[in-house]
Amino acid sequence: MNTIYKPKGKALEYSALALNLYRGCSMSCFYCFAPKATFTDKDIFHNEPEPRKGIIEALRKDAHRFKGKEVLMSFSCDTYQSIEEKLGITREAIKILQANDIAVNILTKGAVLAMRDFDLLRPGIDRFGVSLTFWHEDESLQNEPNAALPSQRMFALEVAKDRGLTTWVSLEPVIAPEQTLRLIKATHKFVDLYKVGKWNYDKRAGMINWKEFLAEVKDVFRTLGVSEDRYYIKEDLKKYE
């Protein structure tokens, strides 16, 4: 079984190494790419998530090969989806990674549950990040029905920052540019790094003026005093410069 792996394509802009603990994801985000990428029926993917069989045992055997590296959890699922509260697989995986001198990098929309594991994360070593898509909570509920509300995710970032953790935000996909700009303004004081990427795989994305948005987002960063080393524009958006 493959445990820690090197992502391909656009995912590589996020992390050199990653780990997926679950098959499927109950967050049910409408824009999710993972069902298609994993050749899984969308209803099964969102409604019948389960741990990858034998993943913890395999990780125990495999982790030593990645000593000194950083591993992102995760790409094809959310490591803090609802079944994690009962199973605790993510918490166990964090312990295994740390025991093998591997830095843990979290990316989640399940921020409330994620705070459970803040006692494990190490300031100056591990990182905590959330995906932020919508400012308006009604739109988040409609389009990311089982994810933590945006306000909860932002609160988790503040708590992580107060604990000395390195914090980051994935602003991808950008679906409502004006909401993305508002999210930056609300979080810049406690976020160390932003990664910004356009909306893909949906014809409605063609209605957005990406060149205009890119100029606006850079202007907002500049106005807020967010230096260039604190944000990364993904290649699919950067081409609009």
Side-chain angles (χ1 to χ4, degrees):
M1 170 189 287
N2 291 325
T3 57
I4 297 170
Y5 69 99
K6 181 178 179 178
K8 297 179 181 179
K10 297 175 182 178
L12 194 55
E13 293 183 75
Y14 275 93
S15 179
L17 294 170
L19 169 64
N20 296 311
L21 299 172
Y22 290 97
R23 295 190 187 279
C25 182
S26 61
M27 295 296 184
S28 300
C29 304
F30 89 88
Y31 49 81
C32 182
F33 70 94
K36 184 176 181 180
T38 59
F39 307 100
T40 306
D41 178 84
K42 191 172 183 178
D43 287 337
I44 292 175
F45 186 89
H46 290 309
N47 296 316
E48 301 178 24
E50 61 182 5
R52 295 178 62 200
K53 187 175 181 180
I55 184 63
I56 291 299
E57 292 78 7
L59 183 61
R60 286 197 181 100
K61 296 176 181 179
D62 200 33
H64 69 93
R65 298 194 297 114
F66 301 93
K67 182 177 181 180
K69 305 293 185 180
E70 180 185 83
V71 172
L72 174 69
M73 298 192 295
S74 55
F75 281 125
S76 67
C77 61
D78 196 305
T79 195
Y80 287 106
Q81 57 182 299
S82 59
I83 58 174
E84 168 61 22
E85 185 171 8
K86 177 182 179 180
L87 300 179
I89 289 175
T90 297
R91 187 172 178 86
E92 188 61 28
I94 290 172
K95 293 177 182 179
I96 294 169
L97 295 175
Q98 292 176 338
N100 286 275
D101 192 26
I102 297 170
V104 176
N105 188 4
I106 300 291
L107 178 62
T108 184
K109 296 189 187 80
V112 177
L113 179 55
M115 288 191 287
R116 176 201 67 186
D117 293 341
F118 280 3
D119 63 312
L120 296 179
L121 300 182
R122 303 161 294 180
I125 300 175
D126 300 323
R127 298 197 288 157
F128 176 75
V130 304
S131 296
L132 290 174
T133 315
F134 299 99
W135 170 266
H136 299 301
E137 297 199 339
D138 58 336
E139 292 188 46
S140 179
L141 283 168
Q142 179 181 352
N143 296 300
E144 309 163 325
N146 297 318
L149 292 172
S151 58
Q152 295 171 325
R153 294 178 231 175
M154 289 187 277
F155 176 70
L157 284 169
E158 287 191 85
V159 173
K161 186 66 175 176
D162 286 344
R163 294 180 70 96
L165 297 172
T166 299
T167 58
W168 68 288
V169 168
S170 169
L171 296 169
E172 185 186 27
V174 172
I175 295 172
E178 72 285 354
Q179 293 188 51
T180 297
L181 299 177
R182 192 168 182 179
L183 289 164
I184 294 169
K185 293 173 184 177
T187 58
H188 73 281
K189 292 183 179 179
F190 48 85
V191 171
D192 296 306
L193 177 67
Y194 294 91
K195 294 202 172 186
V196 190
K198 68 184 289 287
W199 190 11
N200 295 302
Y201 315 117
D202 193 304
K203 63 182 181 181
R204 289 169 292 181
M207 300 173 64
I208 297 174
N209 186 329
W210 293 110
K211 185 176 181 66
E212 180 179 280
F213 168 72
L214 180 55
E216 289 177 336
V217 77
K218 285 188 173 184
D219 184 62
V220 166
F221 282 137
R222 183 168 52 252
T223 300
L224 295 173
V226 177
S227 57
E228 291 186 4
D229 62 336
R230 287 180 56 199
Y231 67 86
Y232 176 85
I233 306 297
K234 291 194 70 179
E235 291 298 325
D236 58 358
L237 178 58
K238 190 176 182 180
K239 69 183 183 182
Y240 290 92
E241 286 182 323

